[in-house]
Amino acid sequence: MGRAPCCDKANVKRGPWSPDEDATLKRYVETHGTVGNWIALPQRAGLRRCGKSCRLRWLNYLRPDIKHGGFTEEEDNIIYNLYSQMGSRWSLIASHLPGRTDNDVKNYWNTRLKKKLLGSSGKSNPVENINPSTHNSLPCLPINPDNQAYNLAFSDPSTQLTQNPTMLSSLTNINGYGLTESYSLDPVLQHSSMIMSEFGSKTSSHSAENSSNISDSSAAAAAACLASLPGDADAGILMDFGLGFTYDCFAYDHDDIKPKD
DNA sequence: AATAGCACCAACCGCTCGCTT
DNA sequence: GAAGCGAGCGGTTGGTGCTAT
């Protein structure tokens, strides 16, 4: 048996809200507050609407402190940074933007910011250089003829790589890369990082040439991460070790990053 | 002027979480 | 501990207006 519906769908109105309905809901909430039962609210307020619909209408549109449209550059940057750290946790991201709702931020991201990032000028499309990686699979790094050192930035600053056997084993056995330095606090990104450089043999199966299937969300996360960097880094590698972040680790060319002023 | 395609955004849907009984 | 319920969340859809052809 399925779950009981939250309202009688045959007897509730759907679609856009009329000014009268808005006024009724607003009047009711301003008088009685939002604390309590949203499911019972429409009946008490005299609205033929689903309680969930009332809640959404109030939170996303009628609340007095709501800001609509006109996202600032500063807000864009906050969204970039937070999305790169936590992915599509819209309510959390919105909580850092006074007057913005999760729906607003989500719509703004999906319709504008994502496109802006993936097609950004000046920085090449990170999708070209990043491989998809999945839980417990080996991260994929590009072939690196110049023995380039990569910096690794972790989504969770408290990540203890050396105490995480799965992650450490993966990183030290992939693609001929090796960890050459111990932990430090990255002076640019302000979170823990680790230098890794290439050595030994490489396997072509992990080469950048095979990196065409990156998912949309991973590409967006990578783009957001690159956008948040202060320098000219134009590519990086996302790594997901299943720690609960959109990506757990981000490898990038450290020479591209300029120190903060 | 007509219309096809696109962008935007409000609203809906289904799921999970957490609280209460 | 299990079941029931409401709140909250994120993904998706559909309507509307704008732009290009």
Side-chain angles (χ1 to χ4, degrees), chain A residues 81-132:
Chain A
N81 284 324
L82 293 176
Y83 186 92
S84 71
Q85 288 167 34
M86 58 178 89
S88 56
R89 306 287 300 279
W90 302 120
S91 58
L92 270 175
I93 293 173
S95 70
H96 288 80
L97 301 165
R100 302 295 186 187
T101 69
D102 54 350
N103 211 35
D104 247 2
V105 175
K106 179 173 60 181
N107 280 333
Y108 183 58
W109 173 266
N110 284 331
T111 58
R112 303 198 204 175
L113 277 185
K114 194 160 76 177
K115 290 170 194 165
K116 192 171 152 189
L117 276 173
L118 294 178
S120 62
S121 59
K123 294 183 177 183
S124 65
N125 186 349
V127 175
E128 293 171 3
N129 297 311
I130 301 168
N131 275 338

Side-chain angles (χ1 to χ4, degrees), chain A residues 49-111:
Chain A
R49 287 279 180 176
C50 174
K52 287 173 79 168
S53 180
C54 292
R55 176 184 160 271
L56 215 59
R57 184 65 178 169
W58 173 258
L59 291 177
N60 290 337
Y61 198 82
L62 296 176
R63 252 192 316 162
D65 54 342
I66 288 286
K67 273 194 275 181
H68 288 291
F71 279 78
T72 65
E73 194 81 11
E74 190 186 350
E75 287 176 312
D76 285 2
N77 289 332
I78 291 170
I79 297 171
Y80 289 152
N81 284 324
L82 293 176
Y83 186 92
S84 71
Q85 288 167 34
M86 58 178 89
S88 56
R89 306 287 300 279
W90 302 120
S91 58
L92 270 175
I93 293 173
S95 70
H96 288 80
L97 301 165
R100 302 295 186 187
T101 69
D102 54 350
N103 211 35
D104 247 2
V105 175
K106 179 173 60 181
N107 280 333
Y108 183 58
W109 173 266
N110 284 331
T111 58

Side-chain angles (χ1 to χ4, degrees), chain A residues 131 138-143 174-175 203-210:
Chain A
N131 275 338
L138 297 182
C140 304
L141 298 173
I143 295 300
I174 54 164
N175 216 21
T203 56
S204 58
S205 62
H206 291 127
S207 69
E209 289 78 9
N210 293 333

Side-chain angles (χ1 to χ4, degrees), chain A residues 222-238:
Chain A
C225 192
L226 286 170
S228 73
L229 297 177
D232 298 325
D234 58 6
I237 301 94
L238 293 177

Side-chain angles (χ1 to χ4, degrees), chain A residues 118-229:
Chain A
L118 294 178
S120 62
S121 59
K123 294 183 177 183
S124 65
N125 186 349
V127 175
E128 293 171 3
N129 297 311
I130 301 168
N131 275 338
S133 51
T134 55
H135 177 53
N136 286 338
S137 67
L138 297 182
C140 304
L141 298 173
I143 295 300
N144 183 9
D146 302 324
N147 207 24
Q148 168 75 52
Y150 284 85
N151 218 49
L152 303 181
F154 298 102
S155 296
D156 178 1
S158 68
T159 299
Q160 292 294 307
L161 184 61
T162 53
Q163 292 170 16
N164 186 323
T166 304
M167 189 187 275
L168 187 60
S169 161
S170 294
L171 283 172
T172 52
N173 288 295
I174 54 164
N175 216 21
Y177 285 80
L179 302 169
T180 59
E181 292 184 19
S182 58
Y183 269 119
S184 62
L185 183 71
D186 188 300
V188 175
L189 296 173
Q190 302 290 307
H191 57 204
S192 63
S193 64
M194 177 175 258
I195 303 293
M196 85 192 275
S197 62
E198 191 181 33
F199 67 88
S201 63
K202 308 172 201 55
T203 56
S204 58
S205 62
H206 291 127
S207 69
E209 289 78 9
N210 293 333
S211 64
S212 57
N213 293 325
I214 188 163
S215 71
D216 213 34
S217 61
S218 295
C225 192
L226 286 170
S228 73
L229 297 177

